Structures are given as structure tokens and as C-alpha cells.
Amino acid sequence: MGFMDSVKGFAEKVGDKVESGVKSVSDNSKKMAERSKIKREIAMLEGEVNNAYLAIGKKFVELNSENPGEDYAENVELIKSKSERAEKFKELLASLDDNQTCTGCGAVISKEQKFCDKCGTKVELKEVPIIEGYNDAPVQTEEPAEVVDVDANPDEVTVPAGSFCEKCGAPLAEGQNFCEKCGAKVE
């Protein structure tokens, strides 16, 4: 056996090892792909099961919200109160963009619209909702506001720094005669 035969034998062994390694990597890749496919299928099925549970729970609350039974009363009340609070936050969020929610269908509509473009309900301008624990706390100032003598010259009321609108609580700039937020006359 010559040198060339030894090199050829070695090359065949290396080729067999490489082929075996490639086959192993290919098999592992196939297994990983199959695992991923199975995991996706499991997640999809579990998601569908959870959605069915949610649908059953939602239907139960809708049908039994007035008399849910002792075992469910606490959770039904929690759902009702959290849903109401979430609706108020949706209204507050819409108001930041000069929008509001339609009283007929709940769609977000512009405050400038006269009728909802989704359901046709007449739009009635809503006030910004007060949400307990969020925007209901009165604004505190470090110093009490100055007392202004409005009888001195009623046309030249000077708003002291740190004042707030009596109607809506918005901050007022010095010398402001009307609130920029609600339009109330500064007194």
C-alpha cells in the first residue's frame, strides 16, 4: 500500500465522518424544526382553550352580573369595577387627543363631529372623566394664593402666580383673564 492509497483511505474516512456529521446536524435540525412546530401547535391549542374559557366567563358575567352567586360574587364585582375604570381611562385618553367615545357604540370620535360616523348617534360633548385616585386629587400649592381686590378695578384683574381655575383646576398664567382650558372668566 502506497502513500496515495493511505491518503485516499484517510480522505474516505474524513469524508465518512463529515457525511455522518452533516447527517447528524440535518437530523438535529429536523428534530428542532419538528419540536418548534409541535410547540406552536400546543400554544395555539392552549390559546384557543383559554379564549373559550374567557368567552364562557364573559358570558357568565353578562348573564349573572346581578346575582352571580356566593362563589363568584367577588370576581364579578371586580370585573365590573375594573371594566368601568378602564372605560373612564379610555375616555380620558381620547380627550387628550380632542376625541371622545361614542355613547352609542363606543367608537373613538372627534369632539368636533355632530354625529358618530360608525353608528349615527348624535354626539354630545362629554366632560373629562374624574378617575378616583388618578386625577381627582386637588392640586396642592406650597403657598396659599394671594387675595386679589377685584373691586379696585374689575377690568384689570391680575392673576397671581400659582393660581388655578376655579371651574376646572387648570393652572393660570399671570395676567390671564380667561382659562385656556375651559374658557371660564378668571375672578
Side-chain angles (χ1 to χ4, degrees):
M1 186 158 141
F3 175 73
M4 287 304 283
D5 290 333
S6 292
V7 170
K8 187 178 177 184
F10 177 75
E12 286 177 1
K13 287 181 184 178
V14 168
D16 290 343
K17 292 284 185 183
V18 168
E19 186 178 324
S20 172
V22 168
K23 186 174 184 327
S24 175
V25 167
S26 176
D27 288 346
N28 286 340
S29 294
K30 287 179 184 177
K31 283 182 183 179
M32 284 177 51
E34 189 65 20
R35 281 187 186 104
S36 292
K37 184 178 174 183
I38 291 170
K39 286 180 180 181
R40 277 193 310 271
E41 187 68 24
I42 290 169
M44 185 184 73
L45 292 169
E46 287 176 341
E48 289 175 7
V49 168
N50 284 334
N51 287 340
Y53 277 127
L54 290 172
I56 290 169
K58 184 175 182 180
K59 190 67 172 179
F60 176 85
V61 170
E62 288 169 358
L63 294 173
N64 301 293
S65 65
E66 297 305 316
N67 190 15
E70 191 176 309
D71 292 342
Y72 305 103
E74 184 178 337
N75 287 327
V76 169
E77 197 53 44
L78 177 74
I79 289 169
K80 286 169 49 177
S81 69
K82 297 296 180 181
S83 294
E84 289 170 5
R85 189 168 170 85
E87 287 304 313
K88 286 183 180 182
F89 272 107
K90 287 178 186 176
E91 289 176 22
L92 182 61
L93 183 61
S95 74
L96 292 175
D97 295 327
D98 289 329
N99 294 325
Q100 67 182 25
T101 53
C102 172
T103 56
C105 68
V108 175
I109 54 177
S110 170
K111 287 183 177 179
E112 296 166 1
Q113 288 179 235
K114 298 207 183 295
F115 295 91
C116 176
D117 57 353
K118 304 284 187 245
C119 72
T121 301
K122 185 174 180 176
V123 175
E124 295 182 21
L125 201 57
K126 295 180 185 177
E127 290 189 29
V128 176
I130 302 298
I131 302 170
E132 185 178 327
Y134 183 75
N135 62 355
D136 63 345
V139 178
Q140 298 292 325
T141 58
E142 292 180 17
E143 299 175 10
E146 291 180 19
V147 177
V148 178
D149 183 8
V150 292
D151 293 333
N153 190 346
D155 295 330
E156 296 180 13
V157 174
T158 304
V159 176
S163 294
F164 297 91
C165 175
E166 291 179 9
K167 184 174 180 185
C168 72
L172 300 172
E174 193 168 316
Q176 200 171 332
N177 293 326
F178 291 90
C179 175
E180 293 177 352
K181 186 173 180 183
C182 71
K185 180 155 178 60
V186 175
E187 296 179 356

